[in-house]
Amino acid sequence: MMMGERFRSAFGKSPRFELSVPARICVFGDHSDYVPYLGTNIVTFASAEQRMFAHISPRTDSVVKVLSSLEGCDPVVFSIHDVGIQGPWLETLDSLGAPDTHWSNYVKGAVAYLGNKRRIEYGFEMFVQSTIPAASGASSSSALTICALAAAHIANNISWTPRSLSEMGGEAEWYVGTRGGMMDHATMMYAEKGKMIKLGFRPFDAKLVEDSLGCKWHSVYTHPAEKGGAARDSFNELAIVQREIIPEYLTGIEFDLEGDLELVVNQLPKTVEHAGLGAINIRDRFRFVLNEFSRVQSFISMLEEPNDEEIVRLFESSWNDTRDLLMTHTPEMEIIASQLREREGVLGVKVLGAGFGGNLLVCAKSWAELGPDAVEHTPGAGLVLVELN
């Protein structure tokens, strides 16, 4: 059954709008969008092959009804008032704690966020289907957040810009208990077909760049990435360290990224004790961000003068850092990555997303054969909104 037919069968009416949002493919710059002490850059692109689609119809009351064709996503009905958050957004969420894990929390978070900021009145009906694998590191959760934010804007006749929806998306996802940044959402809003994006932060900037490497990009799925519990705590630890703890120790220290890295690292305590997260390794987290900063600069330069040996080095160092400094690997990820590297024409393998499972990103020669489990990704368009007849 087609999407429009599923929508009419479920809601007794035709959809008014169709929304399409891409998967996010991060090449280099992971975990940098929430770092306040560097003018970090991230290189990403939107996948033309994996996208989330939503059919939407505004309502004239405060009810939100959401249905998905995805397995395990039961229908959800709630009102704007049911998810209302009063007071400062982050402080209130911290006091409430994370909700029980459920796919609809990304929709509820978007509605709650816009209600908190704009006091919206009207809900919507939305039917979602997607080719972005859940818990894969390609940010299906952020795509769902963007879909819900756009639907709430449409229903309440509120305009948006790519930047405003990017910023809202990052903060709206805090509703589910994570404390990430806006890299995923900015990729989904600014992407254009055939282009990569260089995202800059502090100040924010988005520039389109040519992918002149002559390689192909693939993702290979390992196993579902855990979204809650220990994995969520580990992800939040990365954000807390970068946003709150490291900046305190760097106050008054001037340093050069290349020449003074080890000097600054040694001035940081190896670990600190956090009330909610226990002992946190500060030096490793700091070293990862600076290494990733360097990898982004090298990759951007290499786009002008492609070099296979440099590509191999960048991917190998990224893999080693996520394993040794962030510790986001699982045994299954290690096995699959090792098998991929043995294939002729593979230049590099790295973690795609937060780790603990999900997809691996593979850079390979155009003629490389990666097997049936590999999905090729070409740079595609960002959010596309169409008003239906």
Side-chain angles (χ1 to χ4, degrees):
M1 188 182 295
M2 301 294 289
M3 275 189 71
E5 294 174 356
R6 289 287 300 269
F7 190 99
R8 284 186 286 272
S9 176
F11 303 121
K13 64 174 77 169
S14 296
R16 289 266 312 277
F17 299 89
E18 180 177 274
L19 192 67
S20 169
V21 180
R24 178 270 301 129
I25 307 297
C26 180
V27 183
F28 288 109
D30 300 272
H31 305 292
S32 298
D33 49 335
Y34 42 76
V35 174
Y37 52 84
L38 287 175
T40 55
N41 290 309
I42 299 175
V43 179
T44 68
F45 66 89
S47 172
E49 288 73 22
Q50 292 185 340
R51 301 184 71 88
M52 181 174 289
F53 298 88
H55 274 179
I56 299 163
S57 182
R59 292 180 62 92
T60 56
D61 57 20
S62 64
V63 174
V64 175
K65 296 183 178 181
V66 188
L67 182 69
S68 174
S69 63
L70 301 178
E71 184 178 354
C73 295
D74 49 312
V76 174
V77 179
F78 63 93
S79 77
I80 294 171
H81 311 295
D82 293 336
V83 297
I85 300 291
Q86 305 300 321
W89 178 247
L90 183 55
E91 292 178 22
T92 307
L93 292 180
D94 285 342
S95 67
L96 294 173
D100 293 338
T101 301
H102 196 273
W103 77 276
S104 65
N105 286 339
Y106 296 97
V107 179
K108 292 178 178 177
V111 173
Y113 181 82
L114 199 57
N116 179 268
K117 302 299 181 182
R118 296 294 297 266
R119 301 190 182 280
I120 56 175
E121 299 180 56
Y122 304 115
F124 53 87
E125 288 136 344
M126 183 168 72
F127 177 78
V128 178
Q129 70 179 31
S130 178
T131 59
I132 309 173
S136 68
S139 211
S140 60
S141 56
S142 295
L144 182 55
T145 298
I146 289 292
C147 286
L149 276 172
H153 276 73
I154 291 168
N156 290 275
N157 197 29
I158 302 172
S159 61
W160 71 71
T161 65
R163 179 164 181 174
S164 69
L165 217 60
S166 300
E167 293 174 344
M168 290 180 186
E171 295 185 358
E173 277 199 47
W174 295 348
Y175 181 90
V176 306
T178 56
R179 296 293 182 262
M182 57 183 279
M183 170 187 69
D184 303 338
H185 317 84
T187 300
M188 295 167 184
M189 296 305 301
Y190 285 92
E192 291 188 12
K193 183 178 179 181
K195 304 285 187 178
M196 287 185 167
I197 313 170
K198 184 182 77 170
L199 295 172
F201 298 88
R202 285 155 296 278
F204 176 77
D205 184 46
K207 293 182 179 179
L208 299 172
V209 295
E210 295 286 346
D211 177 8
S212 55
L213 294 183
C215 300
K216 288 189 175 181
W217 302 96
H218 305 264
S219 64
V220 176
Y221 192 68
T222 60
H223 61 87
E226 176 59 50
K227 287 285 189 177
R232 182 183 61 210
D233 290 345
S234 180
F235 177 81
N236 286 341
E237 175 195 303
L238 298 176
I240 290 171
V241 166
Q242 304 299 346
R243 281 197 180 110
E244 302 175 15
I245 299 176
I246 290 179
E248 293 182 6
Y249 288 98
L250 295 180
T251 301
I253 299 177
E254 294 185 4
F255 59 93
D256 173 76
L257 292 177
E258 299 293 337
D260 300 333
L261 173 57
E262 291 303 322
L263 177 64
V264 177
V265 166
N266 291 331
Q267 292 187 49
L268 298 174
K270 185 174 182 180
T271 62
V272 299
E273 194 71 25
H274 187 273
L277 300 172
I280 302 175
N281 192 319
I282 299 299
R283 290 185 184 178
D284 285 354
R285 304 302 187 257
F286 180 75
R287 191 188 300 274
F288 175 84
V289 166
L290 266 68
N291 288 351
E292 193 71 2
F293 182 95
S294 178
R295 280 189 285 269
V296 171
Q297 306 313 308
S298 296
F299 183 76
I300 292 172
S301 298
M302 192 177 56
L303 288 175
E304 298 179 0
E305 297 183 16
N307 183 311
D308 286 356
E309 291 184 2
E310 180 66 2
I311 295 175
V312 172
R313 184 191 72 80
L314 292 177
F315 272 84
E316 183 177 357
S317 66
S318 175
W319 181 262
N320 292 340
D321 279 359
T322 51
R323 180 193 62 213
D324 301 334
L325 301 181
L326 299 188
M327 295 178 288
T328 59
H329 293 193
T330 66
E332 295 94 328
M333 293 166 67
E334 291 281 352
I335 292 171
I336 294 174
S338 178
Q339 293 171 344
L340 287 167
R341 289 192 199 95
E342 293 176 356
R343 290 183 175 268
E344 189 175 0
V346 169
L347 298 176
V349 181
K350 68 181 288 289
V351 177
L352 184 62
F356 303 104
N359 277 327
L360 302 178
L361 179 64
V362 184
C363 179
K365 290 293 194 179
S366 59
W367 45 263
E369 295 290 339
L370 301 186
D373 295 332
V375 176
E376 183 180 347
H377 296 274
T378 55
L383 180 147
V384 176
L385 176 64
V386 178
E387 187 169 3
L388 303 172
N389 293 327

